[in-house]
Amino acid sequence: MTKLPSSIFNEVIGPVMTGPSSSHTAAPSRIGNLAGQLAGGKLLRVQVTFETNGSFATTYRGQKSDQGLAAGLMGMFPPDPRLSDALSLIEASGVDLTFVIKDFKADHPNVVLLDIVDEHGGFVFVKALSTGGGRIELNEINGCPIYMAGDYHELVILLPEQVTTSMEQLCSKVEGQLGKSGVIVHGSTVSDNNKKDDAWRGVIVIHTRQTLSSELLSSVKALCGKAEIREVAPVMPVLASAKCEVPFTRAEKLLEWCAEHDDAPLWKAAAVYEAARGNVDEKTVLNMMKDIAVVMEAAITTGMTGNFSMRGFLTPTAGKLCSAAEKGKFIPTGMLNKGTVMAVAVMELNSAMGCVVAAPTAGSCGVLPAAVFSTLDELGVPEDLRMEVAAKAMLSAGLIGVFISEQSTFATEVCGCQAECGSAASMAAAALVEMAGGSALAACDAAALAMQNSLGLTCDPVAEQVEVPCIGRNVGAVSNAVSSANLAMFGFKGNLPLDDVICAMWEVGNALPDTLRCTGKGGLCTTPSGVKIKEEVDRIRFAS
């Protein structure tokens, strides 16, 4: 099954989520949700296995992957406020949830295995991975290779070992029964070489944009005999489509498209792209982004109060910073004073497992809202226009993120913090150019410059908490974005096009040692003070 181009809402601006990590909290909740739906009844036991050398093995407690998986298994989604209590809630529901770390073959640092037993004694095995920014893949069910990304309504057919009809014939029969209803059907098998006959077990996945009618569901069940049928609902906001043709996936092609369409602004190109990707109209795209802008502003407001407890080793400071800035005690830097405080506020709320928007990740969730909303205030945008201006800016940022997602990654476990705060700075720079009335070319130049300034940025969060150096790096990324936007709009160019810089980020990231890619094994994590903080955090965690 062919993977679709990135969606702004699925992979870049979003998910709306409970902190602290999009790849380690939100993505596990999505994985748990899909895996739980594959069970045949109420969950009885779930064993979660992480690979010894992967990122989850060392960070799953600190970045709340265990909470995310537990929440998802109970049917919760990333923004559910109950996620922070998910471990106690799942225990109270009678589910025996355990976590194991062991060696197994994994081709990605964020692989997770789930062995699930339901109340009827039914068993399902799921292999999945978090690919960055909340994006997920299920790529194995009961030993059979499959592909599910949570962006379809899916009918999963678990075939018993006594099936002898070929998978190709069975899939053909299913497709014939469904007719021309825009579905995608794929299947795979696991053969038992010790058997003397041709029997096999397998899995068929039927992807649709809406649930099947009861008549079609009955006809599929009749074809599959003793197979077990699971209806799996999507966990992503934008559904995929069998027919998806987007106008561009590279900055170079975007600029050609803008030139051919009367020098269209970047936000307009983004709306056209996402409308094609999601099979919706452009007005719907803009309204979806307005809704996200509302959540971002709310996160800033809540973060400014400081009326919460952070889950790591820091205490909220945004309120004090705001007071100092308002009294003129900050060194004068214009909008950056307010942007600094806003970035801290959102990231502190994220650490407290409050509701934030990953943009493109939760570890960088303070950058875009701080840049956009501090600029709205500085420009004096009227109240009735604020959400529309913010939405257009964030659509512009989202399209830059699409180019990063298509050519590199947002996964810090793969490319370090340059993939998170570096990407966020790049996206925010383009958003600011859009707000200032700059061209799509200037926006791409600003994004390229901000990315250049971020190359080599490591991921080394102390005590596996998304606090140090994450909050400070968000603040630095806002400054990077503002400077890059100003330079690009008024003559300075980095001379390298955005696509080239994104590819360089991928190359540099893969060259970083795994100790500097969110494993807690290097950088600030292993300094004497970093080790001491971790020991204290672990002492408190295990005591509770």
Side-chain angles (χ1 to χ4, degrees):
M1 180 177 169
T2 303
K3 294 182 183 180
L4 296 182
S6 299
S7 158
I8 290 175
F9 296 110
N10 283 1
E11 282 87 30
V12 186
I13 309 293
V16 176
M17 57 169 285
T18 298
S21 171
S22 47
S23 60
H24 283 215
T25 314
S29 76
R30 286 171 164 172
I31 289 170
N33 193 310
L34 293 181
Q37 292 185 66
L38 290 169
K42 183 181 181 298
L43 302 182
L44 185 64
R45 295 191 303 275
V46 181
Q47 178 178 294
V48 175
T49 304
F50 301 127
E51 195 272 325
T52 306
N53 296 309
S55 180
F56 279 130
T58 53
T59 65
Y60 79 92
R61 290 191 181 93
Q63 297 193 21
K64 311 301 186 285
S65 306
D66 49 1
Q67 300 270 29
L69 284 162
L73 288 164
M74 290 185 288
M76 298 180 196
F77 290 86
D80 197 312
R82 295 174 296 167
L83 190 147
S84 61
D85 297 318
L87 287 176
S88 58
L89 290 172
I90 200 168
E91 181 180 8
S93 73
V95 179
D96 179 14
L97 175 62
T98 57
F99 296 88
V100 175
I101 297 171
K102 70 177 184 180
D103 294 335
F104 61 87
K105 185 177 181 181
D107 54 5
H108 192 282
N110 286 346
V111 174
V112 56
L113 310 179
L114 296 99
D115 295 282
I116 301 172
V117 178
D118 63 41
E119 60 184 344
H120 307 300
F123 171 86
V124 64
F125 167 82
V126 176
K127 180 180 179 181
L129 61 90
S130 162
T131 61
R135 191 175 186 174
I136 63 168
E137 294 179 12
L138 265 63
N139 41 38
E140 191 174 310
I141 298 175
N142 292 350
C144 302
I146 56 97
Y147 178 78
M148 293 169 59
D151 54 1
Y152 275 114
H153 291 275
E154 281 149 327
L155 196 69
V156 179
I157 305 170
L158 307 176
L159 298 157
E161 291 188 3
Q162 63 265 32
V163 176
T164 55
T165 304
S166 74
M167 176 61 76
E168 291 77 10
Q169 289 176 323
L170 193 52
C171 284
S172 179
K173 287 180 180 179
V174 171
E175 286 179 328
Q177 191 67 51
L178 294 173
K180 297 179 180 179
S181 53
V183 302
I184 299 174
V185 179
H186 76 273
S188 65
T189 65
V190 172
S191 297
D192 187 341
N193 294 327
N194 295 321
K195 285 184 175 289
K196 295 181 180 179
D197 54 30
D198 294 325
W200 50 268
R201 72 178 187 272
V203 173
I204 294 176
V205 181
I206 301 170
H207 310 269
T208 66
R209 285 181 62 86
Q210 57 189 14
T211 55
L212 294 180
S213 67
S214 57
E215 292 80 10
L216 281 176
L217 184 58
S218 295
S219 63
V220 170
K221 289 181 177 179
L223 277 176
C224 298
K226 296 182 179 181
E228 297 181 43
I229 309 293
R230 306 283 188 263
E231 294 182 80
V232 179
V235 295
M236 294 303 221
V238 175
L239 295 184
S241 175
K243 296 181 180 179
C244 175
E245 295 183 6
V246 295
F248 37 72
T249 56
R250 301 287 189 276
E252 178 184 12
K253 295 300 180 183
L254 156 76
L255 295 175
E256 292 176 2
W257 184 92
C258 289
E260 293 168 357
H261 291 79
D262 301 320
D263 294 323
L266 188 57
W267 80 265
K268 178 66 174 179
V272 169
Y273 173 93
E274 188 65 13
R277 169 59 176 81
N279 195 22
V280 296
D281 58 62
E282 294 168 34
K283 184 178 180 181
T284 297
V285 171
L286 185 59
N287 286 336
M288 288 177 69
M289 193 59 86
K290 287 180 182 179
D291 290 341
I292 285 180
V294 170
V295 178
M296 283 185 170
E297 188 171 42
I300 292 171
T301 302
T302 304
M304 291 285 198
T305 68
N307 294 329
F308 47 79
S309 296
M310 296 170 70
R311 297 299 180 100
F313 51 89
L314 298 182
T315 56
T317 60
K320 295 179 181 178
L321 293 172
C322 184
S323 176
E326 289 176 346
K327 292 176 181 177
K329 295 182 178 180
F330 271 26
I331 297 170
T333 59
M335 56 135 329
L336 275 178
N337 282 359
K338 185 169 287 188
T340 294
V341 177
M342 288 180 174
V344 172
V346 175
M347 281 297 292
E348 288 183 341
L349 181 64
N350 177 62
S351 178
M353 299 187 78
C355 185
V356 297
V357 180
T361 68
S364 59
C365 68
V367 180
L368 187 58
V372 169
F373 283 95
S374 62
T375 301
L376 285 175
D377 291 346
E378 188 72 16
L379 296 177
V381 176
E383 188 65 31
D384 61 336
L385 295 178
R386 281 173 66 88
M387 288 304 108
E388 181 165 346
V389 173
K392 289 179 177 179
M394 290 192 288
L395 278 172
S396 301
L399 189 55
I400 298 300
V402 164
F403 303 148
I404 297 171
S405 177
E406 287 296 299
Q407 299 173 87
S408 185
T409 183
F410 298 132
T412 187
E413 302 84 3
V414 177
C415 279
C417 193
Q418 59 176 2
E420 292 203 31
C421 286
S423 294
S426 186
M427 291 160 53
L432 294 178
V433 171
E434 169 61 37
M435 295 179 76
S439 66
L441 175 59
C444 288
D445 286 341
L449 185 57
M451 181 68 77
Q452 287 181 42
N453 297 340
S454 307
L455 291 185
L457 198 58
T458 62
C459 181
D460 47 355
V462 173
E464 292 88 49
Q465 308 293 318
V466 188
E467 295 182 350
V468 175
C470 314
I471 297 174
R473 285 181 181 167
N474 273 250
V475 172
V478 175
S479 178
N480 181 10
V482 173
S483 300
S484 297
N486 279 328
L487 289 171
M489 283 192 295
F490 298 104
F492 182 88
K493 293 183 180 294
N495 289 329
L496 295 176
L498 178 58
D499 293 325
D500 282 3
V501 181
I502 292 171
C503 291
M505 188 266 275
W506 174 256
E507 180 183 358
V508 172
N510 279 271
L512 290 173
D514 63 1
T515 55
L516 301 178
R517 293 186 291 184
C518 199
T519 57
K521 298 177 181 178
L524 297 174
C525 305
T526 53
T527 60
S529 52
V531 171
K532 185 177 180 180
I533 291 170
K534 176 173 170 51
E535 289 173 348
E536 180 63 16
V537 168
D538 286 346
R539 184 188 66 78
I540 295 172
R541 178 190 299 145
F542 292 119
S544 61

